[in-house]
Amino acid sequence: MIARILKWLMLLQVLAVLGFAYLAMHAWGVASPAMALLLAGAMLLAVRTLIVARNFWQSRRLGSPVPEQYQLGAGGAARLFFGELRATLRSSSWDMLRPRLHAADNVAGQGLPVLLVHGYVCNRGYWTQLSRQLARAGIAHDGVDLEPIGADIEDFVPQVEQAIEALCARTGSDRVIIVAHSMGGLVARAWLRRYGAARVARILTIGTPHHGTALANLAAGTNARQMSRIDDAPSGWLAQLAASETPALRALITSMYSHHDNIVAPQASAQLPGARNLAFGGIGHVALASDARVLRQLLAEITIKNEVTEPPSAPHFA
């Protein structure tokens, strides 16, 4: 569904560029068609840039303090902004239009199979670059496309369960590793609450608003309301999810996040008590799954030997 929506949006953007170029030639006297198209494309890029800039402004206005060791100078701030803009353009204008993952056979000693769970208004195409790294490492993996877009997070849980069953059946493994971005981390935690930990070795979340994000207050859908913050506190759904988790379940989770996340605000919302928390700096929200530092850490986390020999007990809510 997301791919279809994005293709329609891309078509509208192409038509807008052509229309603006026509206007530039016939109303503003731009003689060269190439120059008119270049001007129209620049206008479209400016709009996309302003959207990213607005998210950074809001997330900083509503954000948590940046620790001193993660403070950025002018050069670092520029790299942060343009890295996020580049990741946003690539993800929405290319990777998610053709949501395919790279194939890999499960190689002994290279780790358990990996299930990739995307975030809000995305699809498996978001994981293109991580999928390429996993394929090169010989790690079997698959993704899930969470639909419908604005559904209750609880409605995504059976979709994750089905994907885990299929991945285990395909690889012959009895457990998987879940890697989840943004809202996907909350979906993974909701799955863990309902189905227990018997078939998961670890859950790696990146940029997940574990305590909600103020920017979700402006988004549409039941899942956006569940990710929201009300009076600077997590939503009721998030509070119930947190209250249901035992220390043993939290110990399965590693939360990777950026102090400069432009969607999760406050950025400290990605810190999950009882979990292993790994902080980064100078990386935007969409760029988290394509940044070289994060990719290296993800591969290290995926390929380490599992230290939990027996999964912790947890209630099973079928």
PDB file of all heavy atoms in Angstrom, residues 80-102:
ATOM      1  N   LEU A  80      24.643  16.597   9.611  1.00  0.00           N
ATOM      2  CA  LEU A  80      23.426  16.011  10.160  1.00  0.00           C
ATOM      3  C   LEU A  80      22.225  16.325   9.278  1.00  0.00           C
ATOM      4  O   LEU A  80      21.465  15.426   8.895  1.00  0.00           O
ATOM      5  CB  LEU A  80      23.189  16.545  11.579  1.00  0.00           C
ATOM      6  CG  LEU A  80      21.794  16.362  12.187  1.00  0.00           C
ATOM      7  CD1 LEU A  80      21.507  14.890  12.431  1.00  0.00           C
ATOM      8  CD2 LEU A  80      21.669  17.173  13.488  1.00  0.00           C
ATOM      9  N   PHE A  81      22.057  17.608   8.944  1.00  0.00           N
ATOM     10  CA  PHE A  81      20.882  18.021   8.173  1.00  0.00           C
ATOM     11  C   PHE A  81      20.880  17.409   6.781  1.00  0.00           C
ATOM     12  O   PHE A  81      19.884  16.812   6.344  1.00  0.00           O
ATOM     13  CB  PHE A  81      20.827  19.550   8.072  1.00  0.00           C
ATOM     14  CG  PHE A  81      19.650  20.043   7.291  1.00  0.00           C
ATOM     15  CD1 PHE A  81      18.405  20.167   7.884  1.00  0.00           C
ATOM     16  CD2 PHE A  81      19.777  20.364   5.947  1.00  0.00           C
ATOM     17  CE1 PHE A  81      17.306  20.600   7.160  1.00  0.00           C
ATOM     18  CE2 PHE A  81      18.683  20.798   5.210  1.00  0.00           C
ATOM     19  CZ  PHE A  81      17.444  20.923   5.815  1.00  0.00           C
ATOM     20  N   PHE A  82      21.975  17.533   6.066  1.00  0.00           N
ATOM     21  CA  PHE A  82      21.999  17.045   4.687  1.00  0.00           C
ATOM     22  C   PHE A  82      22.024  15.512   4.630  1.00  0.00           C
ATOM     23  O   PHE A  82      21.524  14.917   3.666  1.00  0.00           O
ATOM     24  CB  PHE A  82      23.174  17.648   3.932  1.00  0.00           C
ATOM     25  CG  PHE A  82      22.984  19.104   3.612  1.00  0.00           C
ATOM     26  CD1 PHE A  82      23.709  20.081   4.278  1.00  0.00           C
ATOM     27  CD2 PHE A  82      22.032  19.499   2.686  1.00  0.00           C
ATOM     28  CE1 PHE A  82      23.515  21.422   4.000  1.00  0.00           C
ATOM     29  CE2 PHE A  82      21.830  20.843   2.401  1.00  0.00           C
ATOM     30  CZ  PHE A  82      22.563  21.810   3.062  1.00  0.00           C
ATOM     31  N   GLY A  83      22.568  14.879   5.664  1.00  0.00           N
ATOM     32  CA  GLY A  83      22.496  13.422   5.717  1.00  0.00           C
ATOM     33  C   GLY A  83      21.068  12.942   5.890  1.00  0.00           C
ATOM     34  O   GLY A  83      20.640  11.973   5.242  1.00  0.00           O
ATOM     35  N   GLU A  84      20.308  13.635   6.720  1.00  0.00           N
ATOM     36  CA  GLU A  84      18.897  13.267   6.907  1.00  0.00           C
ATOM     37  C   GLU A  84      18.084  13.590   5.659  1.00  0.00           C
ATOM     38  O   GLU A  84      17.204  12.809   5.266  1.00  0.00           O
ATOM     39  CB  GLU A  84      18.325  14.003   8.118  1.00  0.00           C
ATOM     40  CG  GLU A  84      16.854  13.731   8.401  1.00  0.00           C
ATOM     41  CD  GLU A  84      16.553  12.322   8.867  1.00  0.00           C
ATOM     42  OE1 GLU A  84      17.508  11.520   9.015  1.00  0.00           O
ATOM     43  OE2 GLU A  84      15.371  12.008   9.082  1.00  0.00           O
ATOM     44  N   LEU A  85      18.359  14.714   5.034  1.00  0.00           N
ATOM     45  CA  LEU A  85      17.654  15.060   3.789  1.00  0.00           C
ATOM     46  C   LEU A  85      17.929  14.015   2.719  1.00  0.00           C
ATOM     47  O   LEU A  85      17.000  13.551   2.034  1.00  0.00           O
ATOM     48  CB  LEU A  85      18.099  16.441   3.315  1.00  0.00           C
ATOM     49  CG  LEU A  85      17.507  16.918   1.979  1.00  0.00           C
ATOM     50  CD1 LEU A  85      15.996  17.030   2.057  1.00  0.00           C
ATOM     51  CD2 LEU A  85      18.121  18.254   1.575  1.00  0.00           C
ATOM     52  N   ARG A  86      19.188  13.631   2.564  1.00  0.00           N
ATOM     53  CA  ARG A  86      19.543  12.625   1.563  1.00  0.00           C
ATOM     54  C   ARG A  86      18.860  11.294   1.863  1.00  0.00           C
ATOM     55  O   ARG A  86      18.300  10.649   0.961  1.00  0.00           O
ATOM     56  CB  ARG A  86      21.059  12.441   1.530  1.00  0.00           C
ATOM     57  CG  ARG A  86      21.526  11.415   0.491  1.00  0.00           C
ATOM     58  CD  ARG A  86      23.041  11.352   0.406  1.00  0.00           C
ATOM     59  NE  ARG A  86      23.640  10.948   1.672  1.00  0.00           N
ATOM     60  CZ  ARG A  86      24.348  11.766   2.449  1.00  0.00           C
ATOM     61  NH1 ARG A  86      24.533  13.034   2.095  1.00  0.00           N
ATOM     62  NH2 ARG A  86      24.875  11.327   3.583  1.00  0.00           N
ATOM     63  N   ALA A  87      18.858  10.879   3.131  1.00  0.00           N
ATOM     64  CA  ALA A  87      18.231   9.614   3.497  1.00  0.00           C
ATOM     65  C   ALA A  87      16.729   9.662   3.265  1.00  0.00           C
ATOM     66  O   ALA A  87      16.120   8.685   2.796  1.00  0.00           O
ATOM     67  CB  ALA A  87      18.522   9.290   4.961  1.00  0.00           C
ATOM     68  N   THR A  88      16.110  10.795   3.557  1.00  0.00           N
ATOM     69  CA  THR A  88      14.667  10.941   3.356  1.00  0.00           C
ATOM     70  C   THR A  88      14.317  10.875   1.878  1.00  0.00           C
ATOM     71  O   THR A  88      13.365  10.186   1.479  1.00  0.00           O
ATOM     72  CB  THR A  88      14.185  12.279   3.951  1.00  0.00           C
ATOM     73  OG1 THR A  88      14.464  12.295   5.354  1.00  0.00           O
ATOM     74  CG2 THR A  88      12.698  12.457   3.743  1.00  0.00           C
ATOM     75  N   LEU A  89      15.079  11.587   1.053  1.00  0.00           N
ATOM     76  CA  LEU A  89      14.816  11.581  -0.387  1.00  0.00           C
ATOM     77  C   LEU A  89      15.010  10.185  -0.973  1.00  0.00           C
ATOM     78  O   LEU A  89      14.192   9.711  -1.769  1.00  0.00           O
ATOM     79  CB  LEU A  89      15.735  12.585  -1.082  1.00  0.00           C
ATOM     80  CG  LEU A  89      15.462  14.067  -0.795  1.00  0.00           C
ATOM     81  CD1 LEU A  89      16.554  14.927  -1.414  1.00  0.00           C
ATOM     82  CD2 LEU A  89      14.090  14.471  -1.318  1.00  0.00           C
ATOM     83  N   ARG A  90      16.080   9.531  -0.583  1.00  0.00           N
ATOM     84  CA  ARG A  90      16.340   8.202  -1.132  1.00  0.00           C
ATOM     85  C   ARG A  90      15.277   7.200  -0.693  1.00  0.00           C
ATOM     86  O   ARG A  90      14.782   6.401  -1.499  1.00  0.00           O
ATOM     87  CB  ARG A  90      17.727   7.712  -0.704  1.00  0.00           C
ATOM     88  CG  ARG A  90      17.968   6.270  -1.088  1.00  0.00           C
ATOM     89  CD  ARG A  90      19.371   5.795  -0.883  1.00  0.00           C
ATOM     90  NE  ARG A  90      19.464   4.382  -1.233  1.00  0.00           N
ATOM     91  CZ  ARG A  90      20.592   3.750  -1.476  1.00  0.00           C
ATOM     92  NH1 ARG A  90      21.741   4.401  -1.429  1.00  0.00           N
ATOM     93  NH2 ARG A  90      20.596   2.461  -1.771  1.00  0.00           N
ATOM     94  N   SER A  91      14.930   7.243   0.593  1.00  0.00           N
ATOM     95  CA  SER A  91      13.978   6.265   1.112  1.00  0.00           C
ATOM     96  C   SER A  91      12.602   6.426   0.483  1.00  0.00           C
ATOM     97  O   SER A  91      12.010   5.457   0.009  1.00  0.00           O
ATOM     98  CB  SER A  91      13.892   6.407   2.632  1.00  0.00           C
ATOM     99  OG  SER A  91      13.011   5.458   3.179  1.00  0.00           O
ATOM    100  N   SER A  92      12.094   7.659   0.458  1.00  0.00           N
ATOM    101  CA  SER A  92      10.727   7.876  -0.015  1.00  0.00           C
ATOM    102  C   SER A  92      10.618   7.936  -1.523  1.00  0.00           C
ATOM    103  O   SER A  92       9.554   7.663  -2.081  1.00  0.00           O
ATOM    104  CB  SER A  92      10.174   9.174   0.586  1.00  0.00           C
ATOM    105  OG  SER A  92      10.919  10.299   0.153  1.00  0.00           O
ATOM    106  N   SER A  93      11.708   8.285  -2.207  1.00  0.00           N
ATOM    107  CA  SER A  93      11.649   8.470  -3.654  1.00  0.00           C
ATOM    108  C   SER A  93      12.268   7.325  -4.439  1.00  0.00           C
ATOM    109  O   SER A  93      12.229   7.342  -5.678  1.00  0.00           O
ATOM    110  CB  SER A  93      12.351   9.781  -4.046  1.00  0.00           C
ATOM    111  OG  SER A  93      11.748  10.875  -3.401  1.00  0.00           O
ATOM    112  N   TRP A  94      12.826   6.337  -3.728  1.00  0.00           N
ATOM    113  CA  TRP A  94      13.427   5.215  -4.448  1.00  0.00           C
ATOM    114  C   TRP A  94      13.238   3.887  -3.712  1.00  0.00           C
ATOM    115  O   TRP A  94      12.554   2.996  -4.204  1.00  0.00           O
ATOM    116  CB  TRP A  94      14.913   5.473  -4.702  1.00  0.00           C
ATOM    117  CG  TRP A  94      15.576   4.396  -5.494  1.00  0.00           C
ATOM    118  CD1 TRP A  94      16.457   3.456  -5.050  1.00  0.00           C
ATOM    119  CD2 TRP A  94      15.379   4.112  -6.893  1.00  0.00           C
ATOM    120  NE1 TRP A  94      16.844   2.618  -6.064  1.00  0.00           N
ATOM    121  CE2 TRP A  94      16.190   2.998  -7.215  1.00  0.00           C
ATOM    122  CE3 TRP A  94      14.600   4.705  -7.888  1.00  0.00           C
ATOM    123  CZ2 TRP A  94      16.241   2.464  -8.496  1.00  0.00           C
ATOM    124  CZ3 TRP A  94      14.661   4.169  -9.176  1.00  0.00           C
ATOM    125  CH2 TRP A  94      15.464   3.065  -9.460  1.00  0.00           C
ATOM    126  N   ASP A  95      13.837   3.745  -2.542  1.00  0.00           N
ATOM    127  CA  ASP A  95      13.853   2.447  -1.865  1.00  0.00           C
ATOM    128  C   ASP A  95      12.450   1.916  -1.572  1.00  0.00           C
ATOM    129  O   ASP A  95      12.171   0.735  -1.790  1.00  0.00           O
ATOM    130  CB  ASP A  95      14.639   2.537  -0.552  1.00  0.00           C
ATOM    131  CG  ASP A  95      16.132   2.750  -0.786  1.00  0.00           C
ATOM    132  OD1 ASP A  95      16.613   2.428  -1.891  1.00  0.00           O
ATOM    133  OD2 ASP A  95      16.805   3.240   0.141  1.00  0.00           O
ATOM    134  N   MET A  96      11.576   2.767  -1.061  1.00  0.00           N
ATOM    135  CA  MET A  96      10.244   2.290  -0.697  1.00  0.00           C
ATOM    136  C   MET A  96       9.284   2.215  -1.880  1.00  0.00           C
ATOM    137  O   MET A  96       8.190   1.660  -1.761  1.00  0.00           O
ATOM    138  CB  MET A  96       9.654   3.163   0.421  1.00  0.00           C
ATOM    139  CG  MET A  96      10.364   2.983   1.749  1.00  0.00           C
ATOM    140  SD  MET A  96       9.469   3.632   3.171  1.00  0.00           S
ATOM    141  CE  MET A  96       9.411   5.374   2.793  1.00  0.00           C
ATOM    142  N   LEU A  97       9.696   2.744  -3.033  1.00  0.00           N
ATOM    143  CA  LEU A  97       8.891   2.582  -4.244  1.00  0.00           C
ATOM    144  C   LEU A  97       9.016   1.169  -4.789  1.00  0.00           C
ATOM    145  O   LEU A  97       8.118   0.670  -5.468  1.00  0.00           O
ATOM    146  CB  LEU A  97       9.334   3.578  -5.320  1.00  0.00           C
ATOM    147  CG  LEU A  97       9.075   5.058  -5.055  1.00  0.00           C
ATOM    148  CD1 LEU A  97       9.583   5.882  -6.221  1.00  0.00           C
ATOM    149  CD2 LEU A  97       7.594   5.319  -4.845  1.00  0.00           C
ATOM    150  N   ARG A  98      10.117   0.544  -4.515  1.00  0.00           N
ATOM    151  CA  ARG A  98      10.413  -0.811  -5.003  1.00  0.00           C
ATOM    152  C   ARG A  98      10.913  -1.633  -3.823  1.00  0.00           C
ATOM    153  O   ARG A  98      12.104  -1.929  -3.734  1.00  0.00           O
ATOM    154  CB  ARG A  98      11.458  -0.763  -6.128  1.00  0.00           C
ATOM    155  CG  ARG A  98      12.517   0.281  -5.892  1.00  0.00           C
ATOM    156  CD  ARG A  98      13.345   0.601  -7.105  1.00  0.00           C
ATOM    157  NE  ARG A  98      14.170  -0.500  -7.535  1.00  0.00           N
ATOM    158  CZ  ARG A  98      15.313  -0.859  -6.964  1.00  0.00           C
ATOM    159  NH1 ARG A  98      15.758  -0.195  -5.910  1.00  0.00           N
ATOM    160  NH2 ARG A  98      15.995  -1.858  -7.443  1.00  0.00           N
ATOM    161  N   PRO A  99      10.007  -1.992  -2.920  1.00  0.00           N
ATOM    162  CA  PRO A  99      10.421  -2.590  -1.632  1.00  0.00           C
ATOM    163  C   PRO A  99      10.867  -4.042  -1.769  1.00  0.00           C
ATOM    164  O   PRO A  99      10.114  -4.987  -1.559  1.00  0.00           O
ATOM    165  CB  PRO A  99       9.152  -2.472  -0.782  1.00  0.00           C
ATOM    166  CG  PRO A  99       8.036  -2.500  -1.768  1.00  0.00           C
ATOM    167  CD  PRO A  99       8.549  -1.809  -2.995  1.00  0.00           C
ATOM    168  N   ARG A 100      12.151  -4.201  -2.111  1.00  0.00           N
ATOM    169  CA  ARG A 100      12.717  -5.544  -2.227  1.00  0.00           C
ATOM    170  C   ARG A 100      13.934  -5.660  -1.326  1.00  0.00           C
ATOM    171  O   ARG A 100      14.711  -4.706  -1.205  1.00  0.00           O
ATOM    172  CB  ARG A 100      13.100  -5.847  -3.683  1.00  0.00           C
ATOM    173  CG  ARG A 100      11.909  -5.940  -4.620  1.00  0.00           C
ATOM    174  CD  ARG A 100      12.349  -6.420  -5.993  1.00  0.00           C
ATOM    175  NE  ARG A 100      13.198  -5.450  -6.666  1.00  0.00           N
ATOM    176  CZ  ARG A 100      12.725  -4.484  -7.445  1.00  0.00           C
ATOM    177  NH1 ARG A 100      11.426  -4.350  -7.623  1.00  0.00           N
ATOM    178  NH2 ARG A 100      13.549  -3.639  -8.042  1.00  0.00           N
ATOM    179  N   LEU A 101      14.099  -6.838  -0.745  1.00  0.00           N
ATOM    180  CA  LEU A 101      15.261  -7.098   0.090  1.00  0.00           C
ATOM    181  C   LEU A 101      16.235  -7.993  -0.664  1.00  0.00           C
ATOM    182  O   LEU A 101      15.855  -8.690  -1.613  1.00  0.00           O
ATOM    183  CB  LEU A 101      14.834  -7.767   1.401  1.00  0.00           C
ATOM    184  CG  LEU A 101      13.875  -6.954   2.283  1.00  0.00           C
ATOM    185  CD1 LEU A 101      13.503  -7.749   3.529  1.00  0.00           C
ATOM    186  CD2 LEU A 101      14.479  -5.618   2.664  1.00  0.00           C
ATOM    187  N   HIS A 102      17.481  -7.988  -0.224  1.00  0.00           N
ATOM    188  CA  HIS A 102      18.523  -8.807  -0.855  1.00  0.00           C
ATOM    189  C   HIS A 102      18.483 -10.210  -0.271  1.00  0.00           C
ATOM    190  O   HIS A 102      18.362 -10.395   0.934  1.00  0.00           O
ATOM    191  CB  HIS A 102      19.895  -8.180  -0.640  1.00  0.00           C
ATOM    192  CG  HIS A 102      20.025  -6.822  -1.265  1.00  0.00           C
ATOM    193  ND1 HIS A 102      20.452  -6.621  -2.559  1.00  0.00           N
ATOM    194  CD2 HIS A 102      19.763  -5.580  -0.765  1.00  0.00           C
ATOM    195  CE1 HIS A 102      20.456  -5.323  -2.826  1.00  0.00           C
ATOM    196  NE2 HIS A 102      20.043  -4.675  -1.759  1.00  0.00           N
TER     197      HIS A 102
END
